[in-house]
Amino acid sequence: MANVILIPLEEADRNQFILDNQEAFRYGAMEEFGLRDDHFEEDGEIISRQTLEASIDGGAAYRIVQNGEKIGGVVVKVEGTQGDLDLLFVTPGVHSKGIGYAAWREIEKLYPEVEVWQTCTPYFEKRNIHFYVNRCGFHIVEFFNEKHPDPHAPESSKGEDFDGMFRFEKVMKRV
């Protein structure tokens, strides 16, 4: 497994964290759809700066670091025994090296009180779906789409223009 550490996001690194996240998600969309993609929240970005700012402000943000280099990031929200993996991204240049999984294992260690984790990912992010289900042990529990909208999502994520998001849960096994 990759050797990574999580360090709390510093204010001075906030803008770069947002840019790195947008790059990672843009890469995934371009990989799936090419230049014709229309799955963006704002011009050219899968996740808008406003959405990322709200995520960071509402949770605990960390940088994924390997050998002193920032190679990704995570935002989690924990309330009691419930955890929400709001964001997890790895720089495209280091995909498929076990970094995301190692970061996820570090999150589990940081929050041993969490009994159930949840996260969401767009229907087209096959790499993410594989990662959450086959690597991290999450289960798909819901598919949000125009006929079954996420009751917690902003109005822009509902209706006939919305393609869909999978919601995952992981029930932690304690020994």
PDB file of all heavy atoms in Angstrom, residues 155-171:
ATOM      1  N   GLU A 155     -31.230  22.706  -6.192  1.00  0.00           N
ATOM      2  CA  GLU A 155     -32.181  22.571  -7.304  1.00  0.00           C
ATOM      3  C   GLU A 155     -31.492  22.342  -8.650  1.00  0.00           C
ATOM      4  O   GLU A 155     -32.038  21.685  -9.520  1.00  0.00           O
ATOM      5  CB  GLU A 155     -33.092  23.803  -7.382  1.00  0.00           C
ATOM      6  CG  GLU A 155     -34.155  23.823  -6.299  1.00  0.00           C
ATOM      7  CD  GLU A 155     -35.018  22.567  -6.244  1.00  0.00           C
ATOM      8  OE1 GLU A 155     -35.540  22.123  -7.290  1.00  0.00           O
ATOM      9  OE2 GLU A 155     -35.159  22.004  -5.144  1.00  0.00           O
ATOM     10  N   SER A 156     -30.266  22.860  -8.815  1.00  0.00           N
ATOM     11  CA  SER A 156     -29.540  22.676 -10.075  1.00  0.00           C
ATOM     12  C   SER A 156     -29.178  21.219 -10.314  1.00  0.00           C
ATOM     13  O   SER A 156     -28.837  20.829 -11.421  1.00  0.00           O
ATOM     14  CB  SER A 156     -28.273  23.536 -10.087  1.00  0.00           C
ATOM     15  OG  SER A 156     -27.401  23.121  -9.054  1.00  0.00           O
ATOM     16  N   SER A 157     -29.252  20.391  -9.278  1.00  0.00           N
ATOM     17  CA  SER A 157     -28.918  18.972  -9.404  1.00  0.00           C
ATOM     18  C   SER A 157     -30.168  18.108  -9.511  1.00  0.00           C
ATOM     19  O   SER A 157     -30.136  16.928  -9.215  1.00  0.00           O
ATOM     20  CB  SER A 157     -28.110  18.523  -8.190  1.00  0.00           C
ATOM     21  OG  SER A 157     -26.897  19.198  -8.129  1.00  0.00           O
ATOM     22  N   LYS A 158     -31.270  18.709  -9.915  1.00  0.00           N
ATOM     23  CA  LYS A 158     -32.528  17.971 -10.046  1.00  0.00           C
ATOM     24  C   LYS A 158     -33.127  18.267 -11.417  1.00  0.00           C
ATOM     25  O   LYS A 158     -32.709  19.177 -12.115  1.00  0.00           O
ATOM     26  CB  LYS A 158     -33.500  18.393  -8.951  1.00  0.00           C
ATOM     27  CG  LYS A 158     -32.991  18.115  -7.550  1.00  0.00           C
ATOM     28  CD  LYS A 158     -33.958  18.597  -6.501  1.00  0.00           C
ATOM     29  CE  LYS A 158     -33.384  18.359  -5.114  1.00  0.00           C
ATOM     30  NZ  LYS A 158     -34.230  18.852  -4.062  1.00  0.00           N
ATOM     31  N   GLY A 159     -34.110  17.483 -11.799  1.00  0.00           N
ATOM     32  CA  GLY A 159     -34.826  17.752 -13.041  1.00  0.00           C
ATOM     33  C   GLY A 159     -34.300  16.960 -14.207  1.00  0.00           C
ATOM     34  O   GLY A 159     -33.424  16.109 -14.088  1.00  0.00           O
ATOM     35  N   GLU A 160     -34.862  17.247 -15.381  1.00  0.00           N
ATOM     36  CA  GLU A 160     -34.567  16.443 -16.560  1.00  0.00           C
ATOM     37  C   GLU A 160     -33.150  16.593 -17.084  1.00  0.00           C
ATOM     38  O   GLU A 160     -32.663  15.734 -17.806  1.00  0.00           O
ATOM     39  CB  GLU A 160     -35.568  16.737 -17.667  1.00  0.00           C
ATOM     40  CG  GLU A 160     -35.552  18.169 -18.149  1.00  0.00           C
ATOM     41  CD  GLU A 160     -36.669  18.441 -19.131  1.00  0.00           C
ATOM     42  OE1 GLU A 160     -37.825  18.159 -18.788  1.00  0.00           O
ATOM     43  OE2 GLU A 160     -36.362  18.920 -20.224  1.00  0.00           O
ATOM     44  N   ASP A 161     -32.443  17.651 -16.715  1.00  0.00           N
ATOM     45  CA  ASP A 161     -31.058  17.825 -17.161  1.00  0.00           C
ATOM     46  C   ASP A 161     -30.058  17.086 -16.272  1.00  0.00           C
ATOM     47  O   ASP A 161     -28.879  17.022 -16.578  1.00  0.00           O
ATOM     48  CB  ASP A 161     -30.681  19.316 -17.199  1.00  0.00           C
ATOM     49  CG  ASP A 161     -31.437  20.050 -18.284  1.00  0.00           C
ATOM     50  OD1 ASP A 161     -31.846  19.403 -19.267  1.00  0.00           O
ATOM     51  OD2 ASP A 161     -31.623  21.269 -18.139  1.00  0.00           O
ATOM     52  N   PHE A 162     -30.529  16.516 -15.182  1.00  0.00           N
ATOM     53  CA  PHE A 162     -29.651  15.836 -14.237  1.00  0.00           C
ATOM     54  C   PHE A 162     -29.496  14.382 -14.641  1.00  0.00           C
ATOM     55  O   PHE A 162     -30.470  13.659 -14.772  1.00  0.00           O
ATOM     56  CB  PHE A 162     -30.229  15.962 -12.823  1.00  0.00           C
ATOM     57  CG  PHE A 162     -29.409  15.268 -11.775  1.00  0.00           C
ATOM     58  CD1 PHE A 162     -28.111  15.675 -11.501  1.00  0.00           C
ATOM     59  CD2 PHE A 162     -29.923  14.198 -11.074  1.00  0.00           C
ATOM     60  CE1 PHE A 162     -27.352  15.042 -10.548  1.00  0.00           C
ATOM     61  CE2 PHE A 162     -29.176  13.558 -10.107  1.00  0.00           C
ATOM     62  CZ  PHE A 162     -27.890  13.982  -9.842  1.00  0.00           C
ATOM     63  N   ASP A 163     -28.243  13.952 -14.837  1.00  0.00           N
ATOM     64  CA  ASP A 163     -27.987  12.595 -15.321  1.00  0.00           C
ATOM     65  C   ASP A 163     -27.946  11.538 -14.227  1.00  0.00           C
ATOM     66  O   ASP A 163     -28.287  10.405 -14.458  1.00  0.00           O
ATOM     67  CB  ASP A 163     -26.668  12.547 -16.090  1.00  0.00           C
ATOM     68  CG  ASP A 163     -26.767  13.256 -17.412  1.00  0.00           C
ATOM     69  OD1 ASP A 163     -27.862  13.271 -18.002  1.00  0.00           O
ATOM     70  OD2 ASP A 163     -25.761  13.813 -17.850  1.00  0.00           O
ATOM     71  N   GLY A 164     -27.463  11.869 -13.047  1.00  0.00           N
ATOM     72  CA  GLY A 164     -27.499  10.888 -11.975  1.00  0.00           C
ATOM     73  C   GLY A 164     -26.240  10.794 -11.138  1.00  0.00           C
ATOM     74  O   GLY A 164     -25.133  11.055 -11.607  1.00  0.00           O
ATOM     75  N   MET A 165     -26.460  10.414  -9.897  1.00  0.00           N
ATOM     76  CA  MET A 165     -25.386  10.219  -8.911  1.00  0.00           C
ATOM     77  C   MET A 165     -25.696   8.939  -8.141  1.00  0.00           C
ATOM     78  O   MET A 165     -26.841   8.688  -7.774  1.00  0.00           O
ATOM     79  CB  MET A 165     -25.342  11.369  -7.899  1.00  0.00           C
ATOM     80  CG  MET A 165     -25.012  12.718  -8.443  1.00  0.00           C
ATOM     81  SD  MET A 165     -23.256  12.970  -8.617  1.00  0.00           S
ATOM     82  CE  MET A 165     -22.763  13.280  -6.946  1.00  0.00           C
ATOM     83  N   PHE A 166     -24.648   8.165  -7.880  1.00  0.00           N
ATOM     84  CA  PHE A 166     -24.771   7.023  -6.986  1.00  0.00           C
ATOM     85  C   PHE A 166     -24.442   7.469  -5.569  1.00  0.00           C
ATOM     86  O   PHE A 166     -23.503   8.232  -5.359  1.00  0.00           O
ATOM     87  CB  PHE A 166     -23.787   5.910  -7.376  1.00  0.00           C
ATOM     88  CG  PHE A 166     -24.179   5.156  -8.607  1.00  0.00           C
ATOM     89  CD1 PHE A 166     -23.485   5.350  -9.790  1.00  0.00           C
ATOM     90  CD2 PHE A 166     -25.217   4.246  -8.586  1.00  0.00           C
ATOM     91  CE1 PHE A 166     -23.824   4.653 -10.932  1.00  0.00           C
ATOM     92  CE2 PHE A 166     -25.572   3.546  -9.727  1.00  0.00           C
ATOM     93  CZ  PHE A 166     -24.867   3.750 -10.905  1.00  0.00           C
ATOM     94  N   ARG A 167     -25.225   6.970  -4.612  1.00  0.00           N
ATOM     95  CA  ARG A 167     -24.912   7.181  -3.202  1.00  0.00           C
ATOM     96  C   ARG A 167     -24.431   5.844  -2.644  1.00  0.00           C
ATOM     97  O   ARG A 167     -25.031   4.795  -2.893  1.00  0.00           O
ATOM     98  CB  ARG A 167     -26.122   7.670  -2.407  1.00  0.00           C
ATOM     99  CG  ARG A 167     -25.773   8.009  -0.949  1.00  0.00           C
ATOM    100  CD  ARG A 167     -26.934   8.672  -0.225  1.00  0.00           C
ATOM    101  NE  ARG A 167     -27.997   7.741   0.100  1.00  0.00           N
ATOM    102  CZ  ARG A 167     -27.989   6.928   1.158  1.00  0.00           C
ATOM    103  NH1 ARG A 167     -26.982   6.925   2.015  1.00  0.00           N
ATOM    104  NH2 ARG A 167     -29.009   6.122   1.376  1.00  0.00           N
ATOM    105  N   PHE A 168     -23.320   5.895  -1.915  1.00  0.00           N
ATOM    106  CA  PHE A 168     -22.695   4.708  -1.352  1.00  0.00           C
ATOM    107  C   PHE A 168     -22.715   4.789   0.168  1.00  0.00           C
ATOM    108  O   PHE A 168     -22.655   5.873   0.731  1.00  0.00           O
ATOM    109  CB  PHE A 168     -21.219   4.624  -1.758  1.00  0.00           C
ATOM    110  CG  PHE A 168     -20.961   4.663  -3.229  1.00  0.00           C
ATOM    111  CD1 PHE A 168     -20.901   5.860  -3.916  1.00  0.00           C
ATOM    112  CD2 PHE A 168     -20.766   3.482  -3.933  1.00  0.00           C
ATOM    113  CE1 PHE A 168     -20.644   5.911  -5.272  1.00  0.00           C
ATOM    114  CE2 PHE A 168     -20.510   3.519  -5.297  1.00  0.00           C
ATOM    115  CZ  PHE A 168     -20.451   4.727  -5.971  1.00  0.00           C
ATOM    116  N   GLU A 169     -22.731   3.627   0.814  1.00  0.00           N
ATOM    117  CA  GLU A 169     -22.549   3.548   2.259  1.00  0.00           C
ATOM    118  C   GLU A 169     -21.546   2.456   2.575  1.00  0.00           C
ATOM    119  O   GLU A 169     -21.467   1.448   1.873  1.00  0.00           O
ATOM    120  CB  GLU A 169     -23.868   3.208   2.983  1.00  0.00           C
ATOM    121  CG  GLU A 169     -24.800   4.366   3.110  1.00  0.00           C
ATOM    122  CD  GLU A 169     -26.003   4.053   3.991  1.00  0.00           C
ATOM    123  OE1 GLU A 169     -26.163   2.892   4.451  1.00  0.00           O
ATOM    124  OE2 GLU A 169     -26.808   4.969   4.196  1.00  0.00           O
ATOM    125  N   LYS A 170     -20.837   2.683   3.678  1.00  0.00           N
ATOM    126  CA  LYS A 170     -19.954   1.646   4.206  1.00  0.00           C
ATOM    127  C   LYS A 170     -20.242   1.541   5.696  1.00  0.00           C
ATOM    128  O   LYS A 170     -20.045   2.510   6.449  1.00  0.00           O
ATOM    129  CB  LYS A 170     -18.469   1.981   3.992  1.00  0.00           C
ATOM    130  CG  LYS A 170     -17.560   0.902   4.566  1.00  0.00           C
ATOM    131  CD  LYS A 170     -16.089   1.148   4.286  1.00  0.00           C
ATOM    132  CE  LYS A 170     -15.279  -0.014   4.833  1.00  0.00           C
ATOM    133  NZ  LYS A 170     -13.860   0.143   4.532  1.00  0.00           N
ATOM    134  N   VAL A 171     -20.712   0.371   6.106  1.00  0.00           N
ATOM    135  CA  VAL A 171     -20.939   0.094   7.516  1.00  0.00           C
ATOM    136  C   VAL A 171     -19.646  -0.488   8.054  1.00  0.00           C
ATOM    137  O   VAL A 171     -19.146  -1.497   7.545  1.00  0.00           O
ATOM    138  CB  VAL A 171     -22.125  -0.878   7.728  1.00  0.00           C
ATOM    139  CG1 VAL A 171     -22.288  -1.209   9.204  1.00  0.00           C
ATOM    140  CG2 VAL A 171     -23.405  -0.288   7.137  1.00  0.00           C
TER     141      VAL A 171
END
